Amino acid sequence: DTSAQALTGALARTSGTLSGSGHEVVGTYLISQGSVATTQGYQLTFTGADYTITPRPLNLSAYAPNKIYDGTTAATVTLTDDHIVGDAITTSFTNATFADRNVGTGKAVSVNGLTISGADANNYTPQLPVATTADITYRVPEGYLNAITSITQIEGQCAQYAQGGGN
């Protein structure tokens, strides 16, 4: 006999609460015998089991615009994520910082104190760390802007200013 001939019916399972997008939420649920039966006179013994839905990885992307040198490591960041459309989650963070305060290109920016909130937040696990890169550009000193006529002059004046010889 094949299993298609020996057994009929289907297993049953408990269903969970639905998220905002209509999917079952994180949790452990029971699988039971349901309507599974034998049509061939076999003894049927079923041992119940559980199935578990675990949190979905939440991939986050950060965007940091370039900034003009201000002597701090503070960065401005915008976050996006790949949560399921319809789920009620909000991502937020405490702050974002450049690796150091110095002028440079492609500088590492870290997003710190990330939290996920909302009715469906427990269905997600943030994938950390969240980081990006941005530039810190030279700050043109007060009074120099009108006198500077070329990029070469800007770079020279900024370098002089950064070394303490500026205005």
Side-chain angles (χ1 to χ4, degrees):
D1 292 329
T2 66
S3 62
Q5 296 170 336
L7 298 174
T8 62
L11 296 174
R13 64 180 183 88
T14 56
S15 54
T17 306
L18 299 181
S19 70
S21 62
H23 297 89
E24 285 182 292
V25 299
V26 169
T28 300
Y29 305 95
L30 176 68
I31 299 173
S32 64
Q33 184 172 338
S35 63
V36 172
T38 179
T39 59
Q40 304 293 320
Y42 294 107
Q43 277 293 353
L44 181 62
T45 302
F46 179 81
T47 302
D50 291 334
Y51 73 97
T52 302
I53 298 174
T54 58
R56 179 181 192 272
L58 183 66
N59 297 302
L60 297 147
S61 297
Y63 166 74
N66 298 335
K67 80 169 192 173
I68 297 172
Y69 175 81
D70 65 3
T72 72
T73 60
T76 301
V77 170
T78 303
L79 289 179
T80 57
D81 65 65
D82 67 347
H83 73 275
I84 297 172
V85 174
D87 276 358
I89 72 160
T90 302
T91 55
S92 58
F93 58 95
T94 306
N95 63 29
T97 55
F98 280 91
D100 62 53
R101 66 187 193 115
N102 301 319
V103 170
T105 58
K107 301 180 74 67
V109 176
S110 299
V111 179
N112 309 301
L114 182 73
T115 58
I116 302 173
S117 58
D120 298 316
N122 289 336
N123 296 323
Y124 294 90
T125 300
Q127 301 302 291
L128 301 173
V130 178
T132 188
T133 60
D135 301 342
I136 298 178
T137 59
Y138 288 106
R139 179 181 173 272
V140 177
E142 288 291 321
Y144 280 78
L145 194 54
N146 292 335
I148 296 174
T149 59
S150 73
I151 295 298
T152 304
Q153 262 188 311
I154 290 173
E155 290 172 347
Q157 293 294 338
C158 289
Q160 178 186 2
Y161 183 76
Q163 294 170 4
N167 192 4

